[in-house]
Amino acid sequence: MPALIPAVTLALACLFGPPAAAKEPAGAKPPATLDEKGITLRFDDGSTFRIGGRLQGDFGTGRVQQRGFGTVFEEPAAIRRAWIETSYSLKDFAFAFQYDFNERRVPISDAIIAYKGFQDVIITHGNFKEPFSLDQLISDNVTQFTERSQADAFAPARNFGTAIGTHGTNWTAVTGVFGGNISTGIANNGIASTTRVTYTPWLAENKNDVLHFGLAGSYRTLGDDASSLSLSSRSEAFLFARPLVNTRTIRDATAIGRVGVEAAWQQGPFRLLGEYILTDIERRDGRSPLLFQGGYIQASVVLDEKGRPYQVVPGHGSEYGVFKGVALEERQRVSRGGTGVFELGLRYSAIDLESKEVRGGVEHDFTAGVNYYPEPNLRFVFDYVRSHASPSAESLNFRRRTVDADLFIGRAQLYW
């Protein structure tokens, strides 16, 4: 916890920004600034160095309708993420590093170097997200709900590798080769090739009104040691630590393939998006492959004139064609006399981890949530999650076929 003190101090300093009288004249670029984007240093050679971070604290309660299940939440409140993130840009190069003090197993998130010297091309090397799944590629700073959907269990997330991305006026494409995660061993878990393309037949100049389609594929060879391969998912709440569906270890796996399709539509403050992911696990000795699937559909509305901005091209990495966070105008900030902005959302998601002799379970989740943004870098999230798993890894222990859970989750979040 002492390591979080600098992060909290910086966050509080950034929360309300400098007073209006202290701002530089219009068009001026001071060598150092402290605002909702953190600490930014600008140098004479044109390079820029930024220190930012994110701090997320979750709290909640819940009930599981199954006798003998035990405590629903091991803790009623916990730190979800406590990041420090830095970035440095110099001409055609960009460097970024993110570290989560609250994550013991994989504390390093992004650790990359990117080259942007070719027109409309970004080459990224290091530890970053494989280009797969719109839900996964959207930053956890601005996800609609506290947690991503059930289908996120199939997303490869961050690993060490190299990717090349490019774009046109209404399309993007990024492909890469990846090993293991930098925190757990680059040489572990084989080699993957992952590609994602997006197409926007309609994208308004304001970057808020958009019709988006995406297709992604990933194939990872696992080599001779696949003892670590397993798939599981819990209710869409961080404090709910026990997975309700779980394949356990699949010991004879030799490769894992994924195909994902995605679509999104946003008109003004209204947004609708969904994904479907099919996962194929190949096995040795000629055994039939295992097929698992999952997906979600969600809708949201920002109680304002506009919705979330759509980002075509990232500064680095694989986050092409994604939605950013809700942007507050100066007049809407509570510190400037406004009332902030509210956002409402609904989501249905499902995952099926049953194939052949593997009986990992099937789960359906329904989530309803409210987000409140009083300041550009402050958010409060309140979610209700209804989970239904049948059968599940947990229920089999109690000789029952279903598990039903009702969860109430809150989050207080600072990001700068």
Side-chain angles (χ1 to χ4, degrees):
M1 186 60 69
L4 301 183
I5 294 178
V8 174
T9 302
L10 177 60
L12 293 176
C14 295
L15 179 57
F16 297 109
K23 291 183 178 179
E24 293 289 329
K29 292 185 178 181
T33 58
L34 173 63
D35 53 26
E36 60 267 14
K37 295 182 180 180
I39 298 175
T40 302
L41 303 176
R42 297 179 177 85
F43 302 97
D44 294 338
D45 60 1
S47 62
T48 301
F49 178 72
R50 187 181 74 85
I51 302 174
R54 61 192 72 177
L55 180 63
Q56 303 171 358
D58 287 9
F59 53 91
T61 185
R63 178 188 65 169
V64 174
Q65 299 176 19
Q66 183 191 61
R67 182 176 300 174
F69 187 85
T71 303
V72 179
F73 294 163
E74 296 180 359
E75 299 176 312
I79 297 297
R80 177 65 174 95
R81 295 181 179 90
W83 288 25
I84 288 293
E85 48 193 61
T86 63
S87 63
Y88 177 72
S89 63
L90 174 62
K91 296 182 179 179
D92 295 328
F93 288 91
F95 305 83
F97 182 79
Q98 299 172 332
Y99 190 91
D100 187 352
F101 293 96
N102 196 56
E103 176 58 62
R104 296 181 179 180
R105 181 174 176 271
V106 284
I108 298 175
S109 297
D110 280 0
I112 66 95
I113 176 173
Y115 178 71
K116 300 186 286 186
F118 302 114
Q119 184 176 359
D120 298 332
V121 173
I122 300 176
I123 302 173
T124 304
H125 178 72
N127 201 78
F128 59 102
K129 291 180 180 179
E130 295 186 31
F132 191 97
S133 173
L134 174 63
D135 195 25
Q136 172 60 221
L137 294 173
I138 293 175
S139 169
D140 54 56
N141 260 346
V142 300
T143 50
Q144 181 70 45
F145 305 96
T146 57
E147 298 298 328
R148 295 183 173 95
S149 76
Q150 294 287 321
D152 191 59
F154 299 131
R158 286 180 169 89
N159 285 301
F160 192 91
T162 301
I164 301 176
T166 185
H167 71 281
T169 56
N170 62 347
W171 61 271
T172 73
V174 56
T175 186
V177 177
F178 299 86
N181 187 276
I182 194 173
S183 297
T184 57
I186 298 173
N188 294 340
N189 299 320
I191 300 294
S193 174
T194 305
T195 300
R196 176 175 177 257
V197 294
T198 70
Y199 175 62
T200 53
W202 174 49
L203 178 60
E205 292 184 5
N206 61 12
K207 295 296 190 293
N208 277 70
D209 301 335
V210 61
L211 179 61
H212 161 104
F213 297 101
L215 176 66
S218 177
Y219 185 81
R220 176 177 288 273
T221 59
L222 299 174
D224 296 330
D225 181 13
S227 60
S228 63
L229 179 62
S230 65
L231 297 170
S232 65
S233 186
R234 57 188 176 186
S235 292
E236 294 161 347
F238 171 68
L239 297 176
F240 195 99
R242 301 167 68 178
L244 293 181
V245 291
N246 193 340
T247 65
R248 311 302 192 192
T249 300
I250 303 173
R251 300 188 180 278
D252 59 352
T254 59
I256 178 170
R258 306 172 174 94
V259 176
V261 293
E262 59 192 50
W265 168 79
Q266 182 170 267
Q267 175 69 53
F270 300 98
R271 185 173 59 140
L272 181 67
L273 59 91
E275 288 189 69
Y276 172 78
I277 300 175
L278 179 65
T279 297
D280 171 272
I281 297 179
E282 298 177 5
R283 300 190 288 178
R284 62 173 59 93
D285 299 328
R287 304 189 67 185
S288 299
L290 302 172
L291 293 175
F292 304 117
Q293 60 185 333
Y296 70 90
I297 184 170
Q298 70 182 50
S300 63
V301 57
V302 181
L303 302 185
D304 192 6
E305 299 87 359
K306 57 184 180 180
R308 292 166 171 250
Y310 180 79
Q311 172 185 280
V312 177
V313 184
H316 59 264
S318 58
E319 292 89 350
Y320 285 81
V322 300
F323 290 92
K324 305 295 286 182
V326 173
L328 272 69
E329 297 180 5
E330 191 73 7
R331 60 179 177 81
Q332 296 172 320
R333 299 177 60 173
V334 171
S335 61
R336 306 297 192 257
T339 58
V341 172
F342 286 88
E343 183 182 30
L344 310 179
L346 297 172
R347 178 175 66 194
Y348 166 75
S349 71
I351 187 170
D352 182 350
L353 294 181
E354 297 199 348
S355 181
K356 306 296 189 299
E357 73 279 8
V358 177
R359 313 302 293 174
V362 178
E363 182 173 349
H364 304 264
D365 278 13
F366 170 81
T367 305
V370 178
N371 294 335
Y372 176 56
Y373 305 86
E375 293 290 326
N377 55 330
L378 177 63
R379 179 172 74 148
F380 296 96
V381 186
F382 303 95
D383 290 346
Y384 162 72
V385 183
R386 170 71 175 184
S387 297
H388 175 81
S390 172
S392 72
E394 294 294 342
S395 66
L396 293 176
N397 294 336
F398 299 99
R399 298 182 181 179
R400 293 187 59 175
R401 288 192 59 80
T402 62
V403 175
D404 292 290
D406 295 279
L407 312 173
F408 296 89
I409 302 296
R411 172 174 294 172
Q413 173 179 316
L414 285 166
Y415 46 104
W416 63 97

